[in-house]
Amino acid sequence: VAILPDFDHAAPRAQDALLKTLEEPTSHAILILLASSLDPILPTITSRSQIIHLRAVSAGVIEAVLKDKFGADAQTAALLAHLCGGRLGWAVRALEDAAVLEQRQTALDLLEQILMTDRIGRFALAEDLSRDKLSLIPLLELWQTYLRDLILMCEECGLEPANLDRADHLDALAHRLSGEEALTALRATQNLLSVLNTNANTRLALEVMLLDYPGLRRA
């Protein structure tokens, strides 16, 4: 069994190189191509493949599995089920490795601190964070979940936040900020994640993002 991850990132010539293997596979071989989107994949590849659309596992199912199969307490199981985004494997790893939730706690504490910090403090933080570019991606992905929850709170959608243990903090912020401000922050975070794959100056890109975060007037 051969698994080719991120096949949607493969160049057309690389996809063509695999075409003959897909047309005449050996009887004992299974090729699994993983992709987040079919758009970049050549029609000649998709026409010779069996397409299986994978769906995220529901939070209810993951919560039950964590409690019944892995012995998680009800509160932890509910939190991980909402945080994992339908990825059971991530939830199990987080349950077995306390460092995962500790790092998340630190990351969200930092975000809440930023929302109360002035420009000088944000510039200093941008300089610190820019020193470790690789650690920025998981940090920003965590911040996205928090900002998404904040938008839901601001707009009073009635949906449960993913960060259940931060509900009180989110509710307090939602009374001070608008949904538009939270949405601007989320878009700025998404923009920075895309910029990190380029040669842009990381510190300057961080400064731009943090200036788009709400709270400066109040700070």
Side-chain angles (χ1 to χ4, degrees):
V1 177
I3 300 177
L4 286 71
D6 300 321
F7 195 72
D8 47 325
H9 294 171
R13 291 182 62 183
Q15 295 185 39
D16 279 335
L18 189 66
L19 192 55
K20 185 170 179 59
T21 305
L22 288 176
E23 288 176 333
E24 302 174 3
T26 57
S27 59
H28 63 274
I30 297 176
L31 300 180
I32 301 176
L33 315 179
L34 303 182
S36 58
S37 171
L38 291 177
D39 294 339
I41 298 178
L42 298 176
T44 49
I45 296 289
T46 56
S47 65
R48 290 163 175 79
S49 305
Q50 178 183 355
I51 299 174
I52 301 174
H53 296 282
L54 302 180
R55 299 286 185 264
V57 183
S58 70
V61 170
I62 292 178
E63 184 176 348
V65 170
L66 292 177
K67 289 190 292 187
D68 298 341
K69 302 294 185 182
F70 294 92
D73 62 81
Q75 184 176 0
T76 302
L79 175 61
L80 293 179
H82 282 78
L83 288 177
C84 71
R87 299 166 295 165
L88 177 59
W90 184 93
V92 172
R93 287 195 299 273
L95 180 65
E96 296 175 343
D97 183 1
V100 174
L101 287 183
E102 289 172 1
Q103 292 168 0
R104 168 185 167 273
Q105 188 85 358
T106 301
L108 296 186
D109 286 345
L110 180 60
L111 176 57
E112 290 176 350
Q113 175 189 337
I114 288 170
L115 298 178
M116 301 296 294
T117 303
D118 60 16
R119 285 183 177 82
I120 295 176
R122 295 186 186 195
F123 287 158
L125 179 62
E127 185 174 0
D128 288 340
L129 292 176
S130 66
R131 293 171 183 155
D132 188 358
K133 188 175 180 178
L134 290 178
S135 67
L136 278 176
I137 294 176
L139 178 75
L140 295 174
E141 288 175 344
L142 273 174
W143 287 4
Q144 282 189 130
T145 69
Y146 189 96
L147 293 169
R148 173 237 181 223
D149 287 345
L150 182 56
I151 293 170
L152 294 179
M153 289 279 197
C154 289
E155 298 299 326
E156 299 180 353
C157 295
L159 299 176
E160 272 192 322
N163 298 279
L164 287 174
D165 57 336
R166 298 274 174 159
D168 290 342
H169 295 271
L170 287 162
D171 185 58
L173 280 172
H175 282 84
R176 295 195 300 108
L177 305 175
S178 67
E180 187 62 34
E181 287 176 307
L183 180 59
T184 298
L186 178 59
R187 286 173 173 163
T189 307
Q190 292 170 334
N191 288 338
L192 179 56
L193 278 168
S194 64
V195 164
L196 290 177
N197 296 320
T198 70
N199 293 324
N201 185 297
T202 304
R203 180 178 62 82
L204 292 178
L206 274 163
E207 290 178 355
V208 170
M209 181 194 74
L210 294 178
L211 288 176
D212 280 337
Y213 275 23
L216 281 177
R217 293 194 306 273
R218 295 162 183 82

